[in-house]
Amino acid sequence: MNKEESKKLLIEELGIHFENEYSLPPLAARIFASLVITEEEGLTFDDCLIKRGASKSSISTSLNLLLQMNFIKYFTKSGDRRRYFKIAEKDAFFVEKLNKTLKKLEDESEMIEKVAAFNKTYNAEKHQANKEKKKIYMKCLEDTKAIYKKTIVNLKNLEQ
């Protein structure tokens, strides 16, 4: 398999991953994958149009969605009126993704505590039956949150 065939296959696999991971429409996921994989400094609207073979309105809609989600940004070159699209700063993207997951973990911890408090007050038997399970689960959540926080700090330190 040559480089271009490998690249097309990787873009397709990465596109499917982005569809599932970020609930992106297929075209937006493939454009994002193309931007992740490209060796070029950035891709123009026309580059995306040629590479994806979709309509101008579909490409435009997908690029605007990716811009709104802060997955990509654009820049211009002196003397060139075209916009060039590239992925947002990689470290910032990773930190944002980790922060979203951390928020979900914190929300989960809060809800588990509320359910436990309710059961302790109104259903002592259920509270007692689930006490050890809750303890183990909460320890897992706390350990995971600590790892995420440490990773975020490490990524931010790389930026400096």
Side-chain angles (χ1 to χ4, degrees):
M1 187 179 308
N2 67 32
K3 181 180 178 182
E4 283 307 308
E5 290 170 343
S6 295
K7 190 177 191 179
K8 282 182 182 180
L9 183 63
L10 181 56
I11 287 170
E12 184 61 25
E13 288 182 48
L14 201 51
I16 291 168
H17 170 73
F18 292 148
E19 280 182 58
N20 295 327
E21 182 71 16
Y22 304 112
S23 300
L24 288 175
L27 181 59
R30 297 325 180 274
I31 290 171
F32 187 55
S34 295
L35 291 168
V36 169
I37 298 301
T38 190
E39 298 105 13
E40 300 170 45
E41 188 180 348
L43 299 176
T44 65
F45 181 89
D46 288 333
D47 292 334
C48 294
L49 192 61
I50 292 165
K51 289 178 190 286
R52 299 305 339 146
S55 70
K56 287 183 178 183
S57 65
S58 295
I59 297 290
S60 179
T61 299
S62 294
L63 287 170
N64 284 329
L65 173 66
L66 293 169
L67 285 165
Q68 288 171 356
M69 295 177 77
N70 295 320
F71 280 28
I72 66 171
K73 63 182 183 177
Y74 73 88
F75 64 96
T76 56
K77 295 180 180 178
S78 181
D80 188 349
R81 293 176 50 191
R82 297 179 295 177
R83 293 192 306 172
Y84 290 81
F85 299 92
K86 67 179 189 173
I87 60 171
E89 298 305 317
K90 290 176 185 156
D91 293 343
F93 177 80
F94 291 140
V95 169
E96 187 173 320
K97 182 176 167 109
L98 291 170
N99 274 323
K100 284 180 182 177
T101 305
L102 184 58
K103 173 79 169 96
K104 287 180 182 178
L105 292 169
E106 289 169 348
D107 290 347
E108 174 81 358
S109 295
E110 185 179 328
M111 294 311 300
I112 295 293
E113 291 295 351
K114 285 181 179 182
V115 169
F118 177 86
N119 283 339
K120 185 176 183 180
T121 303
Y122 300 106
N123 194 345
E125 188 177 305
K126 190 173 186 180
H127 172 73
Q128 198 59 37
N130 290 322
K131 201 172 187 176
E132 280 304 307
K133 290 177 194 171
K134 175 196 171 261
K135 183 178 174 183
I136 292 168
Y137 186 70
M138 292 301 286
K139 169 92 169 85
C140 174
L141 289 178
E142 291 305 314
D143 291 349
T144 305
K145 288 191 297 187
I147 291 168
Y148 273 69
K149 288 174 183 177
K150 182 178 179 186
T151 304
I152 290 167
V153 168
N154 291 340
L155 286 170
K156 286 182 177 181
N157 287 340
L158 282 177
E159 294 172 7
Q160 296 170 354

